[in-house]
Amino acid sequence: MEALIHNNKHSAVYGRKTIDFSLLYCDRKTMEIAVHPDSTVIVKAPVQSDFTLIEKKIIKRARWILRQLNYFKQFNPKTPDRCYVNGETHLYLGKQYRLKLTEGTENSVKLSRGFFHITCRNEPTPNAAKKLLNQWYSEKAQLQFAESMDRCWQKFNGLGIDQSKLSIKRMQKRWGSLSDKGTVTLNTDLIRAPKECIDYVVTHELCHLKYHDHSPEFYKLLDSVIPGWEKIKHKLELSMV
């Protein structure tokens, strides 16, 4: 087990970009640079390392670091704030539907002919519509995400890894994540994206069961189980603007 000596936060300048990183001096022989989903950069270096050499190595790998940071930034949900009023468009599985709010005998949400028909027992206020639509989204997410997990997991049979459990919740900055215990958590808002984009996020997280970082081996596995994933990722980014 590595013995860690924490150092203060540092930064390195690459062109017009500044890379902030935390430096850990460790009982190890080589230097390691890791970029995490929360956009933190952690550098582990041998105890006797010269800081100037550490900085040079970071600059040398700056393009890779910035590419990883940009990757995580693009994963942030981009759905703008909604007002939940008549005629406003909302997404479901990549398609846009307009809201139609009415007062009726029961609270309900129905999808029909390009509209979300939201019926409220009392006055159909934006808050009431938001609550009903979010509940509907959550119910659909449980169904659609479970189906996506079943579809995607078939590609991972024979890799010697245990099947992951599924968790669903609203997250501020991620579409998906993988816990230390192997649970895939998906953002409820992902239900707004096309099915192939949901499958991409699920597949990405499942690849982390085998490779926990974004190493060349990770991308090799991702390429093998979902060829052309870059286009699907781009579609996710565009569809959720």
Side-chain angles (χ1 to χ4, degrees), residues 12 34 37 77 144 163 185 226:
Q144 294 291 342
Q163 185 164 358
T185 299
I226 187 166

Side-chain angles (χ1 to χ4, degrees), residues 158-172:
L159 289 182
I161 52 179
D162 295 328
Q163 185 164 358
S164 179
K165 293 181 180 179
L166 175 64
S167 172
I168 302 170
K169 68 178 183 179
R170 280 195 159 76
M171 295 186 284
Q172 291 296 316

